[in-house]
Amino acid sequence: MQDDATEVTAAGIARLAGVGRAAVSNWRRRHADFPRPVGGTETSPAFALAEVEEWLRRHRKLAEVPLKERVWQQLAGHPDGPVTALVHAGCALLLIHDRPPVWLDISSGTDERLAALLPAALDEVLTPRMPETARPGRPDRSRVNGQHPVNTPSAPATPVNPATGSPPTAPAAPAAPALDIPTAPRLLPSVPLLRGVAELAAERGARPAFEFLLGRHLDANPRQYTLTPPDLAGLMAALVGTPATVLDPACGTGALLRAVAGRPDRRLHAQDSSPELAALTALRLALHTRAPVRAAAGDTLRADAYPELRADAVLCHPPFNERNWGHDDLAYDPRWEYGFPARTESELAWVQHALARLRDGGTAVLLMPPAVASRRSGRRIRADLLRRGALRAVVALPAGAAPPYSVPLHLWVLRRPERTPAQPEVLLVDAGRFTAEGRGGPDWPGVRETVLDAWGAFDRDGGVEERPGLARSVPVIELLDDDVDLTPARRLPPPADADGAGRLTDVRARLDETLRLTAELAPPPAQPVPSAASGRLPLTTVGELARAGALVMRTGGHGGRARLPVLTDHDVLAGTGPSGTLPESEEEPVLTEPGDVVLPVLGGGAVARVVDGATAGAVLGRNLVLLRPDPAALDAWFLAGFLRGTANHRQASSYASTATRLDVRRLQLPRLAPDEQRRYGERFRALDAFERALREAGRLGEQLVRGMYDGLTEGTIAPG
């Protein structure tokens, strides 16, 4: 089968041709020979990739498409879906990574020959790396878009649940190997993709090629997956030390196991209820480590794949707030050593599952919603975890650490007790002060240093020196009240603020200076233009200037390989420094330079920001457009000032039911000589300085008011 089965959307065609989607719509209307849709919907049709490429070549519209983009289009338009294509690509990349001569041999012939020989070659590679991998010949479960035997209910084993007296829900099917070696018929449609993937691996390496394709798939489907950010995964891995055997019973995309997969002598175990995630995690880990990888697909709580495992460590980011976790079916499960969790306490079921899979003395770290620390329905289990020394630490993370980003999540550090301690204590840490302003991520170096220092001292000495507002080791007896509330902020003394009044005096002095500066920067009274000189200036557009070479236009959204600060649309609107993060990718990021003009394109209002030395070098974030003017043709402040006009934005915007989108190419500015541009530019620069001073005054005023309230209520400032 040839690549003509691969489909591509209008957005994909635009990428291939290096144009906007509007151009593709125009081609469809103007050219009778434009390929007809072969799938999709009326509003989002899909076209055969081979037909589209042929049409673009014939009409000389096919841009020089980067290899990675061509491979991604093949994967995204695969007839069996992108996940099946990604699994097949991962299998081929693992073969290329481990045994490149074998790949070169079997890929040298026809597509049919490659598809016929590949299963046996994969068997030789996957069997030693993933001992539970199913052999060729079984039905291929890598087609995860269709029905799958895991999660398919079977008949109930008993007519009545003895715990509830009612018929139980159907039990989940037993866990199955995460990865089946696909058969030749299933591989044949993927062969053109696999050849492209091999080219990409030759250019970038097998591991980066898979990370690029996986990252693009995750970015294209953000609502389907709950990801564990790399910084958080690294912190959780550091808390368990250097274990030899590690389990993640809700592995997702494998971020937590990847964080501990550096040593070849580690043994990694993974399970996920999603067959597609289990398969992708198995391949991802196999490409990152020589350690054996055991991965299974199945409902962990109902169909545990590793009932005999006693791991050194368990890392887990479980699903939150699940009602259908197995409460009606698992009443007498031996894992509930600390009490049978209520229907609303699925997270405490995961906690006890993790403890049951640990060896004595083993450590588990779980990401938890903060409500688990205080819900009344879980207080008895929390109390027993504390009494028996199983719960060792609760860490309150800053908001923005992981989805949902608006909620400050918790980390629970647990240890399977070898014996009950005589006077147990628990470590409470509150890292909330490391929340970044705006929508940027937390101050991860500060979080990591605070948490690891406190845990290291507590684990070594059995206690820590109290740090007000940050960390404290609390005797368990203090927590065993009616609520058993483990929320760190409620158990830690407030931060010491011996010089609160002095600090507020300094804030007041800075506010006075800023207000004085604001008054000096206030623009003079507006002078109307004489009616005789008020004729309309000749206008041009950003699009025309870009075509003439007077400026370069770039869009943001790619993180690149290095971790750099990201300028977000919120930063541009608020006038703050770069505060965001983007996932690492193989895409080249757009880096800002002094004199660039940056605009938000989604509902941001009339805003344009000139990049200065403090902002230069940041990565351009999503929903931002960068204009880089030629200094010989355009003054940056003149450009930014006219682009901020309210009427200008109104005529260049399009409106949906809930959002406004700015078409930057349609923004207008007058044709003026360089000297006149600079005259306008100086006035716009002065207005910008006044605006910044107003913002700073507002920020200092809020800081002063909040500090006064806190000082008066906490008793550190006298009322008169």
Side-chain angles (χ1 to χ4, degrees), residues 555-558 566-569 582 590 619-625:
T555 57
H558 300 299
V566 175
L567 184 69
T568 69
D569 53 349
L582 284 171
V590 177
V619 175
L620 191 68
R622 295 188 177 98
N623 302 321
L624 290 176
V625 169

Side-chain angles (χ1 to χ4, degrees), residues 375-394:
R375 280 195 298 242
R376 290 190 62 80
S377 55
R379 65 187 187 279
R380 291 184 179 178
I381 294 178
R382 293 196 299 271
D384 208 29
L385 289 168
L386 291 171
R387 288 192 195 96
R388 296 169 61 181
L391 180 58
R392 307 300 296 137
V394 176

Side-chain angles (χ1 to χ4, degrees), residues 25 89 101 116 147 261 280 282 331 339 420 606:
S25 299
Q147 293 297 320
L280 294 177
T420 301

Side-chain angles (χ1 to χ4, degrees), residues 211 218 227-238 253-260 284 317 400-403 405 442 444 448 560-561 563 581-585:
E211 288 297 320
L218 297 176
L227 305 180
T228 308
D231 290 309
L232 176 58
L235 173 62
M236 294 174 69
T253 59
L256 292 174
L257 289 176
R258 183 188 174 197
V260 298
R284 189 182 195 189
H317 177 174
Y405 290 108
W444 278 112
R448 187 180 177 92
R561 300 186 185 185
R563 301 287 291 181
T581 58
L582 284 171
E584 294 183 28
S585 72

